[in-house]
Amino acid sequence: MKKILYLFAAAVLALSACSKGDKVGGHDSYYTSPGGHYMMHIPAQLITSALEDLEIACEMGKSEVDWASLLHGMKIEEIEVNMWYLSFKGLFPFDNMFYQTEFTMVAIKLNEDDRYANWDVTINGSRTEREDYRCTFESLGSIIYMAENVTEGWDMLYGRLSMLVFNKDGKKDGCMLTFDGSPSEAQFVRGL
């Protein structure tokens, strides 16, 4: 009788494990999590806006974003051939909510011929929001932005981005986005 109960319990556990899907491991697609969706604003809006403004600035010979842009006031310094240092401090939106955001970024142009370039990016920044919440974020190594099947924008990303979330009581969470191709395939993990 005990053997039958053990077999029954094992079968129930196996069925419940199968009902959770085919996924192995603790990573989720970023869009299935509010935290992943929030974090995706960094590579999909903040970094891409900075790269687009950098390309405009290079074309116009400018060292500051002084045109109508979400990153108005961003400073741009060419530190060597095809390598720029960007810095910004000001309000920037995530989901139409503007909060104090600051970052520094190094962008290396990977293809010299094309105006719409592929980029190697490292970033480090922070954001302060309501109710004493804030976050810090940084690339873990480089994030590569590739324009493989598009004439503007970037359709392939490679690399990792981490984010720590704090409130007045200290650290609340640690998260990571991992890119290995299409941004829609990004994997999100939290609780780090």
Side-chain angles (χ1 to χ4, degrees), residues 21-87:
D22 296 332
K23 187 180 81 155
V24 176
H27 298 248
D28 290 318
S29 292
Y30 79 91
Y31 56 82
T32 62
S33 164
H37 180 75
Y38 175 89
M39 194 174 176
M40 185 56 100
H41 288 288
I42 298 166
Q45 290 181 350
L46 183 68
I47 296 175
T48 58
S49 293
L51 291 175
E52 288 169 348
D53 282 351
L54 172 58
E55 290 180 353
I56 292 167
C58 289
E59 196 170 287
M60 297 173 62
K62 294 194 174 242
S63 60
E64 181 175 344
V65 175
D66 59 0
W67 55 89
S69 167
L70 291 173
L71 293 172
H72 184 83
M74 181 175 73
K75 308 279 191 246
I76 300 168
E77 176 188 355
E78 188 170 9
I79 49 180
E80 58 183 70
V81 175
N82 290 330
M83 180 185 288
W84 292 266
Y85 178 82
L86 291 70
S87 59

Short mmCIF file of all heavy atoms in Angstrom, two decimals, residues 21-87:
data_model
loop_
_atom_site.label_atom_id
_atom_site.label_comp_id
_atom_site.label_asym_id
_atom_site.label_seq_id
_atom_site.Cartn_x
_atom_site.Cartn_y
_atom_site.Cartn_z
N GLY A 21 4.46 24.02 -18.00
CA GLY A 21 5.02 24.35 -19.31
C GLY A 21 6.31 23.62 -19.57
O GLY A 21 6.78 22.83 -18.77
N ASP A 22 6.90 23.92 -20.71
CA ASP A 22 8.11 23.24 -21.13
C ASP A 22 9.38 23.95 -20.68
O ASP A 22 10.46 23.52 -20.99
CB ASP A 22 8.13 23.13 -22.67
CG ASP A 22 6.99 22.28 -23.17
OD1 ASP A 22 6.54 21.40 -22.43
OD2 ASP A 22 6.53 22.53 -24.30
N LYS A 23 9.26 25.06 -20.01
CA LYS A 23 10.40 25.87 -19.63
C LYS A 23 11.29 25.13 -18.64
O LYS A 23 10.82 24.48 -17.73
CB LYS A 23 9.91 27.17 -19.01
CG LYS A 23 11.01 28.16 -18.72
CD LYS A 23 10.44 29.39 -18.13
CE LYS A 23 10.21 29.09 -16.69
NZ LYS A 23 10.18 30.14 -15.80
N VAL A 24 12.59 25.25 -18.82
CA VAL A 24 13.56 24.71 -17.88
C VAL A 24 14.34 25.88 -17.34
O VAL A 24 14.81 26.73 -18.08
CB VAL A 24 14.51 23.72 -18.60
CG1 VAL A 24 15.57 23.23 -17.64
CG2 VAL A 24 13.72 22.55 -19.16
N GLY A 25 14.50 25.97 -16.04
CA GLY A 25 15.25 27.06 -15.43
C GLY A 25 14.35 28.17 -14.95
O GLY A 25 13.13 28.11 -15.07
N GLY A 26 14.98 29.24 -14.43
CA GLY A 26 14.23 30.30 -13.78
C GLY A 26 14.08 31.56 -14.59
O GLY A 26 13.76 32.60 -14.04
N HIS A 27 14.34 31.55 -15.87
CA HIS A 27 14.25 32.75 -16.70
C HIS A 27 12.89 32.82 -17.38
O HIS A 27 12.33 31.82 -17.80
CB HIS A 27 15.35 32.75 -17.75
CG HIS A 27 16.72 32.77 -17.16
ND1 HIS A 27 17.56 33.84 -17.26
CD2 HIS A 27 17.40 31.84 -16.45
CE1 HIS A 27 18.68 33.58 -16.64
NE2 HIS A 27 18.61 32.37 -16.14
N ASP A 28 12.36 34.02 -17.51
CA ASP A 28 11.10 34.26 -18.19
C ASP A 28 11.32 35.24 -19.32
O ASP A 28 12.25 36.04 -19.29
CB ASP A 28 10.07 34.87 -17.22
CG ASP A 28 9.61 33.89 -16.17
OD1 ASP A 28 9.36 32.74 -16.52
OD2 ASP A 28 9.51 34.30 -15.01
N SER A 29 10.43 35.22 -20.30
CA SER A 29 10.44 36.29 -21.29
C SER A 29 10.13 37.59 -20.57
O SER A 29 9.31 37.62 -19.65
CB SER A 29 9.38 36.03 -22.36
OG SER A 29 9.75 34.91 -23.13
N TYR A 30 10.81 38.66 -20.97
CA TYR A 30 10.69 39.92 -20.23
C TYR A 30 9.25 40.41 -20.17
O TYR A 30 8.82 41.01 -19.20
CB TYR A 30 11.60 40.99 -20.85
CG TYR A 30 11.02 41.63 -22.08
CD1 TYR A 30 10.24 42.77 -21.98
CD2 TYR A 30 11.22 41.09 -23.34
CE1 TYR A 30 9.68 43.34 -23.11
CE2 TYR A 30 10.67 41.66 -24.46
CZ TYR A 30 9.90 42.78 -24.34
OH TYR A 30 9.35 43.34 -25.45
N TYR A 31 8.45 40.18 -21.24
CA TYR A 31 7.12 40.78 -21.30
C TYR A 31 6.10 40.07 -20.41
O TYR A 31 4.99 40.55 -20.25
CB TYR A 31 6.62 40.86 -22.75
CG TYR A 31 6.60 39.55 -23.48
CD1 TYR A 31 5.56 38.65 -23.35
CD2 TYR A 31 7.66 39.21 -24.33
CE1 TYR A 31 5.57 37.44 -24.02
CE2 TYR A 31 7.67 38.01 -25.01
CZ TYR A 31 6.62 37.13 -24.85
OH TYR A 31 6.63 35.94 -25.52
N THR A 32 6.44 38.94 -19.81
CA THR A 32 5.51 38.27 -18.91
C THR A 32 5.62 38.78 -17.49
O THR A 32 4.89 38.35 -16.62
CB THR A 32 5.73 36.74 -18.91
OG1 THR A 32 7.06 36.46 -18.44
CG2 THR A 32 5.53 36.16 -20.30
N SER A 33 6.52 39.71 -17.25
CA SER A 33 6.75 40.23 -15.90
C SER A 33 6.71 41.76 -15.91
O SER A 33 7.34 42.38 -16.76
CB SER A 33 8.12 39.76 -15.40
OG SER A 33 8.53 40.52 -14.30
N PRO A 34 6.00 42.38 -14.97
CA PRO A 34 6.03 43.84 -14.89
C PRO A 34 7.45 44.38 -14.71
O PRO A 34 7.81 45.39 -15.30
CB PRO A 34 5.16 44.16 -13.68
CG PRO A 34 4.27 42.98 -13.52
CD PRO A 34 5.07 41.79 -13.99
N GLY A 35 8.27 43.68 -13.92
CA GLY A 35 9.66 44.10 -13.74
C GLY A 35 10.45 44.02 -15.02
O GLY A 35 11.25 44.90 -15.33
N GLY A 36 10.24 42.96 -15.79
CA GLY A 36 10.93 42.81 -17.07
C GLY A 36 10.49 43.86 -18.06
O GLY A 36 11.30 44.44 -18.80
N HIS A 37 9.19 44.13 -18.07
CA HIS A 37 8.64 45.16 -18.96
C HIS A 37 9.24 46.53 -18.61
O HIS A 37 9.66 47.29 -19.48
CB HIS A 37 7.12 45.18 -18.86
CG HIS A 37 6.47 46.19 -19.74
ND1 HIS A 37 6.35 46.03 -21.10
CD2 HIS A 37 5.92 47.39 -19.44
CE1 HIS A 37 5.76 47.10 -21.61
NE2 HIS A 37 5.48 47.92 -20.63
N TYR A 38 9.29 46.83 -17.32
CA TYR A 38 9.88 48.09 -16.86
C TYR A 38 11.35 48.17 -17.27
O TYR A 38 11.81 49.17 -17.83
CB TYR A 38 9.75 48.22 -15.34
CG TYR A 38 10.43 49.45 -14.79
CD1 TYR A 38 9.74 50.65 -14.69
CD2 TYR A 38 11.76 49.41 -14.39
CE1 TYR A 38 10.36 51.80 -14.19
CE2 TYR A 38 12.39 50.54 -13.91
CZ TYR A 38 11.69 51.73 -13.81
OH TYR A 38 12.32 52.86 -13.34
N MET A 39 12.09 47.10 -16.99
CA MET A 39 13.52 47.10 -17.25
C MET A 39 13.83 47.24 -18.74
O MET A 39 14.84 47.84 -19.12
CB MET A 39 14.14 45.83 -16.69
CG MET A 39 15.64 45.85 -16.61
SD MET A 39 16.23 44.37 -15.78
CE MET A 39 17.98 44.64 -15.94
N MET A 40 12.95 46.72 -19.61
CA MET A 40 13.18 46.79 -21.04
C MET A 40 13.20 48.22 -21.55
O MET A 40 13.76 48.50 -22.62
CB MET A 40 12.11 45.97 -21.79
CG MET A 40 12.34 45.90 -23.28
SD MET A 40 13.95 45.26 -23.78
CE MET A 40 13.53 43.59 -24.16
N HIS A 41 12.65 49.18 -20.79
CA HIS A 41 12.71 50.58 -21.20
C HIS A 41 14.15 51.07 -21.31
O HIS A 41 14.44 51.97 -22.09
CB HIS A 41 11.92 51.47 -20.24
CG HIS A 41 10.45 51.31 -20.35
ND1 HIS A 41 9.72 51.79 -21.41
CD2 HIS A 41 9.54 50.71 -19.53
CE1 HIS A 41 8.44 51.51 -21.25
NE2 HIS A 41 8.31 50.84 -20.11
N ILE A 42 15.05 50.48 -20.53
CA ILE A 42 16.45 50.94 -20.56
C ILE A 42 17.07 50.64 -21.93
O ILE A 42 17.53 51.56 -22.61
CB ILE A 42 17.26 50.34 -19.40
CG1 ILE A 42 16.68 50.81 -18.06
CG2 ILE A 42 18.74 50.75 -19.51
CD1 ILE A 42 17.16 50.03 -16.85
N PRO A 43 17.10 49.37 -22.38
CA PRO A 43 17.71 49.13 -23.70
C PRO A 43 16.85 49.56 -24.87
O PRO A 43 17.38 49.95 -25.93
CB PRO A 43 17.93 47.61 -23.72
CG PRO A 43 16.91 47.07 -22.78
CD PRO A 43 16.75 48.12 -21.71
N ALA A 44 15.52 49.53 -24.73
CA ALA A 44 14.63 49.79 -25.88
C ALA A 44 14.30 51.26 -26.06
O ALA A 44 13.93 51.66 -27.17
CB ALA A 44 13.34 48.98 -25.73
N GLN A 45 14.40 52.07 -25.01
CA GLN A 45 14.08 53.49 -25.15
C GLN A 45 15.27 54.38 -24.77
O GLN A 45 15.66 55.24 -25.55
CB GLN A 45 12.87 53.86 -24.29
CG GLN A 45 11.59 53.28 -24.81
CD GLN A 45 10.40 53.69 -23.95
OE1 GLN A 45 10.54 54.26 -22.87
NE2 GLN A 45 9.22 53.41 -24.44
N LEU A 46 15.83 54.16 -23.60
CA LEU A 46 16.91 55.05 -23.13
C LEU A 46 18.15 54.90 -24.00
O LEU A 46 18.66 55.88 -24.55
CB LEU A 46 17.22 54.74 -21.66
CG LEU A 46 18.27 55.63 -21.01
CD1 LEU A 46 17.75 57.05 -20.88
CD2 LEU A 46 18.64 55.08 -19.64
N ILE A 47 18.65 53.68 -24.14
CA ILE A 47 19.89 53.49 -24.92
C ILE A 47 19.66 53.80 -26.39
O ILE A 47 20.49 54.47 -27.02
CB ILE A 47 20.45 52.07 -24.72
CG1 ILE A 47 20.87 51.87 -23.25
CG2 ILE A 47 21.63 51.82 -25.66
CD1 ILE A 47 21.33 50.45 -22.91
N THR A 48 18.54 53.36 -26.96
CA THR A 48 18.30 53.65 -28.38
C THR A 48 18.15 55.14 -28.63
O THR A 48 18.63 55.65 -29.64
CB THR A 48 17.09 52.88 -28.93
OG1 THR A 48 15.93 53.22 -28.17
CG2 THR A 48 17.32 51.39 -28.91
N SER A 49 17.50 55.87 -27.73
CA SER A 49 17.40 57.32 -27.88
C SER A 49 18.79 57.96 -27.85
O SER A 49 19.08 58.87 -28.65
CB SER A 49 16.54 57.93 -26.76
OG SER A 49 15.21 57.52 -26.89
N ALA A 50 19.65 57.48 -26.94
CA ALA A 50 21.01 58.02 -26.86
C ALA A 50 21.78 57.73 -28.15
O ALA A 50 22.50 58.60 -28.67
CB ALA A 50 21.73 57.44 -25.65
N LEU A 51 21.65 56.51 -28.69
CA LEU A 51 22.35 56.17 -29.94
C LEU A 51 21.84 56.98 -31.12
O LEU A 51 22.62 57.46 -31.94
CB LEU A 51 22.23 54.67 -30.22
CG LEU A 51 22.99 53.74 -29.27
CD1 LEU A 51 22.67 52.28 -29.59
CD2 LEU A 51 24.49 54.00 -29.32
N GLU A 52 20.52 57.15 -31.21
CA GLU A 52 19.96 57.96 -32.29
C GLU A 52 20.45 59.40 -32.21
O GLU A 52 20.83 60.01 -33.22
CB GLU A 52 18.44 57.88 -32.27
CG GLU A 52 17.91 56.54 -32.72
CD GLU A 52 16.43 56.33 -32.46
OE1 GLU A 52 15.82 57.13 -31.72
OE2 GLU A 52 15.88 55.35 -32.99
N ASP A 53 20.46 59.96 -30.98
CA ASP A 53 20.94 61.33 -30.81
C ASP A 53 22.44 61.42 -31.09
O ASP A 53 22.92 62.42 -31.63
CB ASP A 53 20.62 61.86 -29.41
CG ASP A 53 19.16 62.27 -29.28
OD1 ASP A 53 18.45 62.32 -30.29
OD2 ASP A 53 18.75 62.55 -28.14
N LEU A 54 23.20 60.40 -30.73
CA LEU A 54 24.63 60.38 -31.03
C LEU A 54 24.86 60.41 -32.54
O LEU A 54 25.71 61.16 -33.03
CB LEU A 54 25.28 59.13 -30.42
CG LEU A 54 26.74 58.86 -30.80
CD1 LEU A 54 27.65 60.03 -30.43
CD2 LEU A 54 27.23 57.56 -30.15
N GLU A 55 24.08 59.62 -33.28
CA GLU A 55 24.24 59.61 -34.74
C GLU A 55 23.91 60.97 -35.35
O GLU A 55 24.60 61.44 -36.25
CB GLU A 55 23.38 58.50 -35.35
CG GLU A 55 23.92 57.12 -35.03
CD GLU A 55 23.11 55.98 -35.62
OE1 GLU A 55 22.02 56.23 -36.18
OE2 GLU A 55 23.57 54.83 -35.51
N ILE A 56 22.87 61.64 -34.82
CA ILE A 56 22.54 62.99 -35.29
C ILE A 56 23.67 63.96 -34.95
O ILE A 56 24.10 64.75 -35.79
CB ILE A 56 21.21 63.46 -34.67
CG1 ILE A 56 20.05 62.63 -35.21
CG2 ILE A 56 20.99 64.96 -34.93
CD1 ILE A 56 18.74 62.82 -34.45
N ALA A 57 24.17 63.89 -33.71
CA ALA A 57 25.24 64.79 -33.28
C ALA A 57 26.49 64.61 -34.12
O ALA A 57 27.15 65.60 -34.50
CB ALA A 57 25.55 64.55 -31.80
N CYS A 58 26.84 63.37 -34.44
CA CYS A 58 28.01 63.12 -35.28
C CYS A 58 27.84 63.72 -36.67
O CYS A 58 28.76 64.33 -37.21
CB CYS A 58 28.28 61.61 -35.39
SG CYS A 58 28.90 60.87 -33.88
N GLU A 59 26.65 63.57 -37.20
CA GLU A 59 26.37 64.12 -38.53
C GLU A 59 26.43 65.65 -38.53
O GLU A 59 26.87 66.26 -39.50
CB GLU A 59 24.98 63.64 -38.97
CG GLU A 59 24.73 63.80 -40.45
CD GLU A 59 23.45 63.10 -40.85
OE1 GLU A 59 23.43 61.86 -40.90
OE2 GLU A 59 22.46 63.82 -41.11
N MET A 60 26.00 66.26 -37.42
CA MET A 60 25.95 67.73 -37.34
C MET A 60 27.20 68.33 -36.69
O MET A 60 27.30 69.55 -36.58
CB MET A 60 24.70 68.14 -36.56
CG MET A 60 23.41 67.72 -37.25
SD MET A 60 21.95 68.03 -36.24
CE MET A 60 21.99 69.80 -36.07
N GLY A 61 28.11 67.49 -36.21
CA GLY A 61 29.32 68.00 -35.56
C GLY A 61 29.05 68.64 -34.21
O GLY A 61 29.72 69.60 -33.82
N LYS A 62 28.09 68.12 -33.46
CA LYS A 62 27.72 68.72 -32.17
C LYS A 62 28.24 67.86 -31.01
O LYS A 62 28.40 66.65 -31.13
CB LYS A 62 26.21 68.85 -32.06
CG LYS A 62 25.64 69.84 -33.06
CD LYS A 62 24.22 70.20 -32.70
CE LYS A 62 23.73 71.29 -33.62
NZ LYS A 62 23.41 72.50 -32.94
N SER A 63 28.45 68.51 -29.88
CA SER A 63 28.91 67.81 -28.68
C SER A 63 27.86 67.84 -27.56
O SER A 63 28.15 67.45 -26.44
CB SER A 63 30.22 68.42 -28.17
OG SER A 63 30.02 69.78 -27.85
N GLU A 64 26.67 68.33 -27.88
CA GLU A 64 25.57 68.35 -26.92
C GLU A 64 24.26 68.25 -27.69
O GLU A 64 24.12 68.81 -28.78
CB GLU A 64 25.59 69.63 -26.09
CG GLU A 64 24.48 69.69 -25.06
CD GLU A 64 24.57 70.91 -24.16
OE1 GLU A 64 25.63 71.56 -24.11
OE2 GLU A 64 23.56 71.20 -23.50
N VAL A 65 23.29 67.56 -27.11
CA VAL A 65 21.97 67.46 -27.71
C VAL A 65 21.23 68.75 -27.37
O VAL A 65 20.77 68.93 -26.24
CB VAL A 65 21.21 66.21 -27.19
CG1 VAL A 65 19.79 66.18 -27.74
CG2 VAL A 65 21.95 64.95 -27.57
N ASP A 66 21.16 69.67 -28.35
CA ASP A 66 20.51 70.96 -28.11
C ASP A 66 19.26 71.13 -28.98
O ASP A 66 18.80 72.23 -29.22
CB ASP A 66 21.51 72.11 -28.33
CG ASP A 66 22.09 72.14 -29.74
OD1 ASP A 66 21.74 71.27 -30.57
OD2 ASP A 66 22.91 73.03 -30.01
N TRP A 67 18.73 70.02 -29.47
CA TRP A 67 17.51 70.03 -30.27
C TRP A 67 16.39 69.37 -29.48
O TRP A 67 16.62 68.83 -28.39
CB TRP A 67 17.73 69.34 -31.62
CG TRP A 67 18.25 67.94 -31.52
CD1 TRP A 67 17.51 66.79 -31.43
CD2 TRP A 67 19.61 67.53 -31.51
NE1 TRP A 67 18.33 65.69 -31.35
CE2 TRP A 67 19.62 66.12 -31.40
CE3 TRP A 67 20.83 68.21 -31.56
CZ2 TRP A 67 20.81 65.39 -31.35
CZ3 TRP A 67 22.01 67.48 -31.51
CH2 TRP A 67 21.98 66.08 -31.41
N ALA A 68 15.19 69.38 -30.01
CA ALA A 68 14.03 68.79 -29.33
C ALA A 68 14.22 67.27 -29.25
O ALA A 68 14.07 66.56 -30.24
CB ALA A 68 12.75 69.13 -30.08
N SER A 69 14.56 66.79 -28.09
CA SER A 69 14.84 65.38 -27.86
C SER A 69 14.51 65.06 -26.41
O SER A 69 14.60 65.93 -25.54
CB SER A 69 16.32 65.08 -28.13
OG SER A 69 16.67 63.81 -27.62
N LEU A 70 14.16 63.80 -26.15
CA LEU A 70 13.96 63.37 -24.76
C LEU A 70 15.25 63.48 -23.95
O LEU A 70 15.22 63.56 -22.73
CB LEU A 70 13.45 61.92 -24.73
CG LEU A 70 12.04 61.70 -25.24
CD1 LEU A 70 11.72 60.21 -25.31
CD2 LEU A 70 11.02 62.42 -24.36
N LEU A 71 16.39 63.46 -24.65
CA LEU A 71 17.70 63.56 -23.98
C LEU A 71 18.34 64.93 -24.19
O LEU A 71 19.56 65.05 -24.28
CB LEU A 71 18.62 62.44 -24.49
CG LEU A 71 18.19 61.03 -24.08
CD1 LEU A 71 19.04 59.98 -24.78
CD2 LEU A 71 18.26 60.85 -22.57
N HIS A 72 17.49 65.96 -24.27
CA HIS A 72 17.98 67.33 -24.42
C HIS A 72 19.00 67.61 -23.31
O HIS A 72 18.73 67.37 -22.13
CB HIS A 72 16.82 68.33 -24.34
CG HIS A 72 17.26 69.74 -24.58
ND1 HIS A 72 17.42 70.26 -25.84
CD2 HIS A 72 17.60 70.71 -23.71
CE1 HIS A 72 17.82 71.50 -25.75
NE2 HIS A 72 17.94 71.81 -24.46
N GLY A 73 20.17 68.11 -23.70
CA GLY A 73 21.23 68.40 -22.73
C GLY A 73 22.26 67.29 -22.59
O GLY A 73 23.26 67.48 -21.91
N MET A 74 22.05 66.15 -23.23
CA MET A 74 23.04 65.07 -23.16
C MET A 74 24.36 65.55 -23.74
O MET A 74 24.41 66.14 -24.81
CB MET A 74 22.56 63.82 -23.91
CG MET A 74 23.53 62.67 -23.84
SD MET A 74 22.90 61.14 -24.61
CE MET A 74 23.01 61.56 -26.36
N LYS A 75 25.44 65.31 -23.03
CA LYS A 75 26.78 65.69 -23.46
C LYS A 75 27.41 64.53 -24.22
O LYS A 75 27.24 63.36 -23.86
CB LYS A 75 27.67 66.03 -22.27
CG LYS A 75 27.08 67.05 -21.32
CD LYS A 75 27.28 68.44 -21.82
CE LYS A 75 26.92 69.46 -20.76
NZ LYS A 75 25.78 70.25 -21.08
N ILE A 76 28.15 64.86 -25.26
CA ILE A 76 28.79 63.86 -26.12
C ILE A 76 30.24 64.25 -26.32
O ILE A 76 30.54 65.37 -26.75
CB ILE A 76 28.07 63.79 -27.49
CG1 ILE A 76 26.60 63.41 -27.29
CG2 ILE A 76 28.79 62.81 -28.41
CD1 ILE A 76 25.74 63.58 -28.52
N GLU A 77 31.14 63.32 -26.01
CA GLU A 77 32.56 63.59 -26.17
C GLU A 77 33.19 62.43 -26.94
O GLU A 77 33.07 61.27 -26.53
CB GLU A 77 33.22 63.72 -24.80
CG GLU A 77 34.71 63.89 -24.84
CD GLU A 77 35.35 63.83 -23.46
OE1 GLU A 77 34.63 63.75 -22.44
OE2 GLU A 77 36.59 63.84 -23.42
N GLU A 78 33.83 62.75 -28.05
CA GLU A 78 34.56 61.71 -28.79
C GLU A 78 35.87 61.46 -28.06
O GLU A 78 36.70 62.37 -27.93
CB GLU A 78 34.80 62.12 -30.24
CG GLU A 78 35.38 60.99 -31.06
CD GLU A 78 35.42 61.26 -32.55
OE1 GLU A 78 35.15 62.41 -32.97
OE2 GLU A 78 35.71 60.32 -33.29
N ILE A 79 36.06 60.24 -27.55
CA ILE A 79 37.27 59.96 -26.77
C ILE A 79 38.37 59.31 -27.61
O ILE A 79 39.53 59.35 -27.23
CB ILE A 79 36.96 59.13 -25.51
CG1 ILE A 79 36.10 57.92 -25.81
CG2 ILE A 79 36.27 59.98 -24.47
CD1 ILE A 79 35.75 57.07 -24.60
N GLU A 80 37.99 58.72 -28.71
CA GLU A 80 38.94 58.29 -29.73
C GLU A 80 38.14 58.00 -30.99
O GLU A 80 36.90 58.14 -30.99
CB GLU A 80 39.79 57.10 -29.29
CG GLU A 80 39.03 55.85 -28.90
CD GLU A 80 39.97 54.75 -28.41
OE1 GLU A 80 40.54 54.90 -27.32
OE2 GLU A 80 40.11 53.75 -29.14
N VAL A 81 38.80 57.62 -32.06
CA VAL A 81 38.10 57.40 -33.32
C VAL A 81 37.02 56.33 -33.12
O VAL A 81 37.29 55.25 -32.58
CB VAL A 81 39.08 56.96 -34.42
CG1 VAL A 81 38.34 56.60 -35.70
CG2 VAL A 81 40.10 58.07 -34.69
N ASN A 82 35.78 56.68 -33.52
CA ASN A 82 34.62 55.78 -33.42
C ASN A 82 34.24 55.37 -32.00
O ASN A 82 33.58 54.34 -31.80
CB ASN A 82 34.82 54.53 -34.29
CG ASN A 82 34.77 54.86 -35.76
OD1 ASN A 82 34.08 55.79 -36.18
ND2 ASN A 82 35.50 54.12 -36.56
N MET A 83 34.64 56.15 -31.00
CA MET A 83 34.27 55.87 -29.60
C MET A 83 33.86 57.18 -28.92
O MET A 83 34.60 58.17 -28.96
CB MET A 83 35.43 55.24 -28.84
CG MET A 83 35.08 54.93 -27.38
SD MET A 83 36.50 54.31 -26.42
CE MET A 83 36.70 52.69 -27.11
N TRP A 84 32.66 57.17 -28.31
CA TRP A 84 32.12 58.36 -27.67
C TRP A 84 31.70 58.08 -26.23
O TRP A 84 31.26 56.98 -25.89
CB TRP A 84 30.89 58.87 -28.43
CG TRP A 84 31.24 59.42 -29.78
CD1 TRP A 84 31.50 60.72 -30.10
CD2 TRP A 84 31.35 58.68 -31.00
NE1 TRP A 84 31.76 60.83 -31.43
CE2 TRP A 84 31.68 59.59 -32.02
CE3 TRP A 84 31.21 57.33 -31.32
CZ2 TRP A 84 31.87 59.21 -33.33
CZ3 TRP A 84 31.39 56.94 -32.64
CH2 TRP A 84 31.73 57.88 -33.63
N TYR A 85 31.83 59.12 -25.41
CA TYR A 85 31.38 59.10 -24.02
C TYR A 85 30.17 60.01 -23.94
O TYR A 85 30.23 61.18 -24.30
CB TYR A 85 32.50 59.60 -23.11
CG TYR A 85 32.13 59.65 -21.65
CD1 TYR A 85 32.18 58.51 -20.86
CD2 TYR A 85 31.74 60.85 -21.06
CE1 TYR A 85 31.85 58.55 -19.51
CE2 TYR A 85 31.40 60.90 -19.73
CZ TYR A 85 31.46 59.75 -18.96
OH TYR A 85 31.13 59.80 -17.63
N LEU A 86 29.04 59.46 -23.48
CA LEU A 86 27.79 60.21 -23.36
C LEU A 86 27.42 60.34 -21.89
O LEU A 86 27.60 59.37 -21.12
CB LEU A 86 26.66 59.50 -24.11
CG LEU A 86 26.72 59.45 -25.63
CD1 LEU A 86 27.82 58.56 -26.13
CD2 LEU A 86 25.41 58.97 -26.18
N SER A 87 26.88 61.48 -21.50
CA SER A 87 26.40 61.65 -20.13
C SER A 87 25.12 62.48 -20.14
O SER A 87 24.98 63.42 -20.92
CB SER A 87 27.47 62.31 -19.25
OG SER A 87 27.83 63.57 -19.75
#
